Structures are given as C-alpha cells and as structure tokens.
Amino acid sequence: MKKPFLQFAEKYFEDLKVTRTTDDFGRPADKWKIKNKEVGTYADKADASYTAKVKGKTIKADTDIDPKDYTWSAYRDGEPVTLKDLNKKLGEGQNAYYEFVKRTGDPADEKIGGNGTLTEVFYDEDEEEATITLVRTFLMQVDGDYDEDDEELTLTEVDANDAGYAPDAPELEDGEEVLSADDFDNLDTFEDEDYVLVTVANGEIKSIAKAEKVTGTVTEYVKDDTVTLGGTEYEYSATFSDSEKMTYSIDDDYEAYLDAYGYIIYVDGDDGNDDYVYIAEFDTSSNLSVNSKIVAYAYFLDGTEDEITIDEIDGEDVKGKDFKDEKVNGHAAGQWFKFTEKNGKYDLDIEKDQKGADFNKDEETTVVDGDNTVMIAGVELRGTKDTVFVVVDDDDDVKVYTGIKNAPELTAKGDDAKVQAIYDGKYAEYVFIALGDEGTSKGGSNSSDIIFVMELDKEGTDSGDNKYYRYKAILNGEETKVKFELTGKFAPAKTEQILFTDVEYDSETGFVTAAEAVTDPIGSDDYDSVLGIKNASVSQKAGVVTVDDGKDTYKYYLADDYTIFVIEDGDDVSTVTAKKLASDYEKGGLNADIYGVLNSDDEYTALYISVK
C-alpha cells in the first residue's frame, strides 16, 4: 500500500494499525490490525510478474533497477531458496543476483520459474530490499463428497505417472489431505473425483480451485512441448509429471485439465485407454500340435466379442506348440491384456495391475453394491466416473457401462461366474464381470444420455429384422429422432412427453432397450418433475422462475447456462428465456408437465415444459 493511503487510514481510523511483514509465500505485505484483532495480511502489488520461464535480463528490463543497490532474497512456495535452487547454472549469494539481473552476460540469459509458476519481483527503494517469489500450482483430486457434518473435504494425490504432481508438493498423511471450512470458504462447491488446483506454502495448502477441463481431438503434438487439442495448441505446466513421455493417438479424443494460466496440468488417459481386451480362453485353431495358430475368445471395451488370432504374447511369437494346459507360454486366460492389431492378428501384453476372482457356484456374491465400490475376493476397489464395466449376463449377452453411477447392482453366482479388474491404486479402471447362470443385475445405465420423448414418428424394421419405434425427441439438448426397441414398455402411451434418464442401448442395433422415466418430485437430486399443472401463472426474478397454480408454488433456481424447452402440439419445440416464459404466462393459463435437470449446486440447467 502506498504511503498516502497508509497515512489516510491511520489518521482517520485511529485503532487501525499496520506493520510490514511477509505473507505465506514470502511476498512483502502489510498486516492490518484493529486494536489487537488481526484484519488480514495483504501482499504488495508486484513490480514485475511472469507465468512462464523468465530470463534475468527480462527482469532487468521490466524493473530497470540496479541489482547492486538491493539486498536480495528468494522464496519458492513460501520457503527460502537460492538462485542455484531455481537454476543449477546460477550461483548462490548476493553476487549471483547481481550477475543474473543484468542486461547482458551468460547468467542474465538463464531462466527461472516455469509454465504455470507465478514468478513475482518486488523491490523497495527505501529499504533497499528486493524479493523474488515463486508460487507453483499442483494438481490433486477430491476423494469423496464434501462432509457437511464435519465441514471437511478430503483431497488425494493424482498418480505421478499420469499427471503433474510434483515431488515436493506437500507430504500427505496416508496419501490424503483433509481441508476444513474454517480455512477455506468454497469447499462445499467441490464434488467427488473433481480435479483441483492447489497452491502450497511451507508445506500447507493455501488455495484450492477447480481445474478447467477441455476436450477435443488431438491433431498434432510435439514431445515434451505442445499438444494441439480441439484446434488449440497447449503447452504443459511445469508440474506436469513426465511430459516428455506423453504420447497421443492422432485423431483420437482426449480430456485435458488446465491450470489457472492455461497450461495443461493433466491429461485424463493416454493413447492406450481403448486398447484393452479381456481374454476368456485360449485354444489352438486346429489339431496341428506344432504349427497350429493360437486363437482366443475376446471381449472388447465397446461390448463386442469375437474369436481372434494371436500372433505374439509379451513380445514372443506363439504357435500350437506353446499351448499346454489351457495356457500359452504359461499365460492363462481369464485376464486383461493390452493389444495391438495388424492384418487381423493380435499382439497381447499382460496387464500387471489387475485383480480377479472366481466364485463358488453355490453362493451368491455381491460384486457391485450400488455404493461406488467393486468387491473382488474381499478386496474393495473404488469405482469412478470413468470406470468401464463389461458385463456378461446369464444369456451370454454383453453390456458395457461407463461410470460407477451408471453401473447396475451386480451379484455373481453359478457356473463360469468371474470378475477381473484392472486397477490404479484403490481405483478400478476396467472391470470384466461374468454373472454366471444365477447371477443378477439390477438397475444401471450404459450411457449418460437424457432423452425427452415428444411423439412417435414411425415404426420400423432394420436390416436384421429388429423392430423399433422411432420417436421425435430432444437428446441431450438437441432435437433428433431416437429408436426404441418395439416392446410394450415403450409404447407411445408410456413414452410420449416424458423425460428419460439411465438410458441403455443395444450394442448391435443401437436401439434404446432400457430407460427410467423421471418421476421424482420437485426438489429431488439430479432430476425432478411436476405433473398435471393447471392454469398456473409464471413469474421470474433474479434467476428464479416461480410457477403458481393457486394450490402449490414451485420455484426453479436457474443455473447461469440454463435452457428452457417449451414443447407444444406434441413436437413443436421452442427455447425461451425465463423472462419470455414469465411474459407468456404472467396472468396464468399454463397447463403443463414440467421436468427439471439439476446440477451439483441444485440449480436447474434445463427445464422441459410439456404444454397440454
């Protein structure tokens, strides 16, 4: 704070006092108190600021100071460091600063800081002191929802092999850090599995913010430098671990997370994510004991299954002579493998991080319990939004579910019941489950789609003689046509003008085979409905839509990016603003069913108003 403002504050607020200090990150700051009560500590505005590597001569040009006029110090994440700690080519002591902050010379061409590292320079002409501070950003992940009773949020490390968690980030007790609402005012805005950005001072987390996610197709990448995702070129954050090892499959889609300065700090998955296959059994293609081909029955992550020919396992060619006791070169089936395919032949590599279990055919065993967990031989793995479940039921039909919340409750029992999971620490990534002839599956959804069905368009039959209803619909916010299998449960009277979630599709026909109609009352989590509203009036103010039918009042708190769909005459769709809706029905006359979609803040992202 500049001196005139200091003098004003101290003159007119006699009990308000300030002392010079440093903040948690080592930045020069003012500490304010009223009598003995601390108001806060506020860092000075930096004289120069950078979020990428910076040369000493650039600092010289931006500050135009003579480094020899100052006593220098440096801090990284609140801890004192030397220039040599920041760059091994630089020296220690005051002379090192004098040589670094110059217009010319080898030291002046060296750099400190890094992408996504906030490097700030402060100098005080009166005190003849200069300070360089560096604040890095690290990635962590939320483990569990916000604990409303204890007002706490638990964070956990992200695997350093997959993302940017630097070695000198805070050491976590049991791999976790518990934050309290006493220290942070935004903890209730985070959800389980969110990726978050944290800053650290002296080994303690000082800030937390949600990482921005970007998705797109990779069209180009330069190793350890940049990746072009969705048409935008991104560089990596300095705390992205092993960026030099990061590779991509061109024209594949990826999710990346950015730090506050737009640098990639994490890529969710790599080019091998879809290249896993579960091998149920090995055999030879003929009775030739030596030169026969090795074949295998395979289940893929997209729900397809096939008999495939194996060329190599773990880098070794395999033939009939290598098949013995149902194994190939000692490799048993009933496991996950990574694969590559060329000219119809497959090379397999055993996945080392996997757990599995066969089940007693006479005992029912819970595998997925509806509580975000996967049980394997008494070992509990945690499912995530990205966990993929390949499930074979008692009719040998295959279904694929992505995300633990979309997975059904599964029990295994009977002949051939089996579970095998690839895991990362305590998290399940890919899970194969054969339910056996007496296993059960309850609930579940193999997509996250939301479908508002308007009215029947046609009945049809595909090339495989499979019959379907084709409905006019709003699928994930877009008008389209959706095919449902032609069964009584999807007859028009049970389907039209209804919002459906937990949608399942047949992997071969693409038809909807299962879906849950939204029937939960207003105020429920995720989705709700109010049916049979008659002659209601609508008003809106400050982002809240109020519907009043004279007997009940319904309030809809809208998200910033809300959409209101008004469906009239069966299939006439319009999107309106809250203001327009209120204008149309200010004096009443709304006869409708209203379906709502809510976000994690209990705000409505979409309303579907089916006018009767």
Side-chain angles (χ1 to χ4, degrees):
M1 181 175 283
K2 301 300 183 183
K3 286 187 177 180
F5 295 100
L6 284 171
Q7 293 168 353
F8 175 85
E10 291 176 329
K11 178 177 179 180
Y12 292 100
F13 301 91
E14 295 182 359
D15 293 328
L16 183 63
K17 301 296 180 183
V18 63
T19 56
R20 291 295 287 166
T21 184
T22 58
D23 72 359
D24 292 328
F25 295 100
R27 298 176 292 204
D30 291 322
K31 179 183 288 187
W32 290 89
K33 289 184 177 181
I34 295 179
K35 294 185 178 180
N36 292 321
K37 183 177 181 181
E38 184 174 329
V39 177
T41 299
Y42 304 95
D44 293 352
K45 182 179 179 180
D47 295 292
S49 181
Y50 314 92
T51 56
K53 286 186 176 181
V54 58
K55 293 181 179 181
K57 66 182 182 183
T58 302
I59 295 175
K60 170 66 177 176
D62 291 342
T63 58
D64 197 27
I65 60 175
D66 185 345
K68 293 184 178 180
D69 290 343
Y70 297 86
T71 300
W72 289 81
S73 58
Y75 298 85
R76 181 172 57 195
D77 299 330
E79 298 181 352
V81 292
T82 67
L83 283 180
K84 193 174 185 66
D85 294 326
L86 304 178
N87 183 329
K88 293 180 180 179
K89 294 182 180 181
L90 297 175
E92 298 177 330
Q94 292 299 304
N95 281 332
Y97 291 100
Y98 304 158
E99 293 299 315
F100 178 57
V101 187
K102 290 175 61 177
R103 296 189 188 281
T104 59
D106 290 342
D109 281 319
E110 293 297 331
K111 297 178 180 179
I112 61 172
N115 289 350
T117 298
L118 177 61
T119 302
E120 295 179 297
V121 181
F122 306 83
Y123 63 90
D124 188 324
E125 293 176 339
D126 295 333
E127 299 296 330
E128 297 181 338
E129 293 176 343
T131 304
I132 299 175
T133 63
L134 297 90
V135 179
R136 295 175 293 179
T137 298
F138 302 103
L139 184 75
M140 297 186 74
Q141 190 170 26
V142 177
D143 186 11
D145 291 324
Y146 175 67
D147 187 329
E148 295 183 354
D149 294 330
D150 294 334
E151 296 185 318
E152 292 178 340
L153 187 74
T154 300
L155 305 184
T156 188
E157 297 182 23
V158 176
D159 191 333
N161 291 320
D162 297 330
Y165 196 81
D168 46 4
E171 294 184 6
L172 305 180
E173 185 177 348
D174 298 325
E176 295 182 339
E177 181 83 358
V178 179
L179 305 184
S180 170
D182 293 338
D183 303 313
F184 302 89
D185 59 8
N186 62 339
L187 298 185
D188 59 351
T189 64
F190 299 102
E191 296 181 346
D192 186 28
E193 300 179 34
D194 278 349
Y195 291 111
V196 294
L197 309 172
V198 300
T199 59
V200 178
N202 297 300
E204 294 184 2
I205 293 176
K206 293 298 178 181
S207 70
I208 175 174
K210 190 171 182 178
E212 177 188 353
K213 181 173 77 171
V214 293
T215 60
T217 302
V218 169
T219 53
E220 183 180 358
Y221 72 95
V222 179
K223 225 170 186 182
D224 199 26
D225 187 17
T226 61
V227 58
T228 301
L229 180 71
T232 301
E233 185 178 76
Y234 296 95
E235 297 180 51
Y236 295 104
S237 164
T239 56
F240 186 109
S241 292
D242 298 329
S243 60
E244 72 278 2
K245 299 178 182 177
M246 193 65 198
T247 61
Y248 301 85
S249 290
I250 299 301
D251 294 332
D252 277 4
D253 292 336
Y254 290 81
E255 291 181 354
Y257 291 83
L258 308 181
D259 68 12
Y261 311 106
Y263 296 104
I264 288 182
I265 197 167
Y266 177 55
V267 176
D268 197 355
D270 57 34
D271 61 327
N273 267 8
D274 295 326
D275 298 335
Y276 283 102
V277 62
Y278 177 82
I279 300 298
E281 62 177 313
F282 288 118
D283 207 339
T284 56
S285 63
S286 71
N287 291 325
L288 298 175
S289 60
V290 176
N291 294 316
S292 174
K293 297 175 182 178
I294 297 294
V295 294
Y297 201 78
Y299 292 90
F300 295 90
L301 292 174
D302 62 357
T304 58
E305 53 184 309
D306 199 4
E307 182 179 299
I308 62 175
T309 300
I310 309 302
D311 196 36
E312 294 182 0
I313 299 180
D314 277 356
E316 296 184 4
D317 292 339
V318 292
K319 293 185 176 181
K321 64 182 177 60
D322 302 309
F323 182 73
K324 184 178 181 181
D325 297 331
E326 300 184 348
K327 297 180 181 180
V328 180
N329 273 351
H331 297 292
Q335 298 189 82
W336 286 97
F337 293 80
K338 290 198 75 170
F339 75 87
T340 56
E341 182 269 336
K342 187 175 182 180
N343 298 326
K345 295 182 179 180
Y346 287 77
D347 295 342
L348 304 181
D349 290 291
I350 187 70
E351 170 59 39
K352 295 180 175 58
D353 293 328
Q354 58 180 306
K355 297 179 184 292
D358 298 306
F359 299 104
N360 186 324
K361 67 178 183 179
D362 297 322
E363 294 181 7
E364 185 175 82
T365 304
T366 298
V367 182
V368 179
D369 62 3
D371 191 29
N372 294 350
T373 57
V374 182
M375 299 299 299
I376 302 176
V379 177
E380 182 178 294
L381 295 177
R382 188 177 182 86
T384 74
K385 62 181 175 60
D386 298 316
T387 303
V388 178
F389 297 85
V390 179
V391 181
V392 182
D393 66 16
D394 58 343
D395 292 324
D396 292 329
D397 292 330
V398 182
K399 289 187 177 180
V400 177
Y401 306 88
T402 300
I404 186 67
K405 293 182 178 179
N406 293 322
E409 295 182 20
L410 300 170
T411 64
K413 182 181 179 182
D415 294 328
D416 301 322
K418 169 79 176 179
V419 61
Q420 191 79 16
I422 297 175
Y423 65 94
D424 180 7
K426 60 183 178 181
Y427 295 97
E429 294 186 328
Y430 303 102
V431 184
F432 174 85
I433 303 171
L435 298 180
D437 54 7
E438 296 184 62
T440 63
S441 174
K442 180 181 178 182
S445 168
N446 62 5
S447 81
S448 57
D449 288 347
I450 301 171
I451 304 176
F452 183 85
V453 176
M454 293 186 286
E455 66 178 15
L456 182 66
D457 179 49
K458 302 282 186 181
E459 291 184 18
T461 304
D462 69 5
S463 59
D465 201 30
N466 301 296
K467 301 183 186 304
Y468 60 82
Y469 291 115
R470 189 174 72 190
Y471 284 103
K472 298 177 183 179
I474 304 170
L475 172 63
N476 300 328
E478 300 292 333
E479 285 189 66
T480 186
K481 295 175 182 178
V482 179
K483 296 176 182 178
F484 287 68
E485 65 177 359
L486 200 153
T487 63
K489 66 181 179 181
F490 292 130
K494 298 179 181 180
T495 308
E496 291 177 330
Q497 301 300 310
I498 294 174
L499 182 68
F500 290 92
T501 64
D502 295 339
V503 180
E504 294 189 24
Y505 297 93
D506 185 282
S507 60
E508 294 183 0
T509 65
F511 300 168
V512 175
T513 58
E516 291 291 328
V518 173
T519 58
D520 295 332
I522 190 168
S524 304
D525 292 338
D526 300 331
Y527 312 98
D528 63 25
S529 62
V530 180
L531 308 181
I533 293 175
K534 295 185 181 298
N535 196 29
S537 63
V538 181
S539 60
Q540 69 87 30
K541 184 177 182 181
V544 181
V545 169
T546 302
V547 178
D548 189 342
D549 65 0
K551 292 187 289 186
D552 296 292
T553 300
Y554 308 101
K555 290 186 178 295
Y556 296 91
Y557 295 85
L558 301 178
D560 291 339
D561 55 348
Y562 74 89
T563 305
I564 299 176
F565 299 95
V566 176
I567 303 95
E568 299 178 283
D569 300 324
D571 65 346
D572 184 8
V573 182
S574 58
T575 57
V576 301
T577 63
K579 184 177 181 180
K580 177 69 166 67
L581 183 68
S583 173
D584 289 345
Y585 296 103
E586 180 180 4
K587 296 181 180 179
L590 176 63
N591 302 304
D593 296 336
I594 301 180
Y595 295 91
V597 180
L598 296 90
N599 62 20
S600 59
D601 295 322
D602 293 329
E603 298 170 331
Y604 287 86
T605 58
L607 292 177
Y608 297 82
I609 302 177
S610 173
V611 177
K612 305 301 182 182

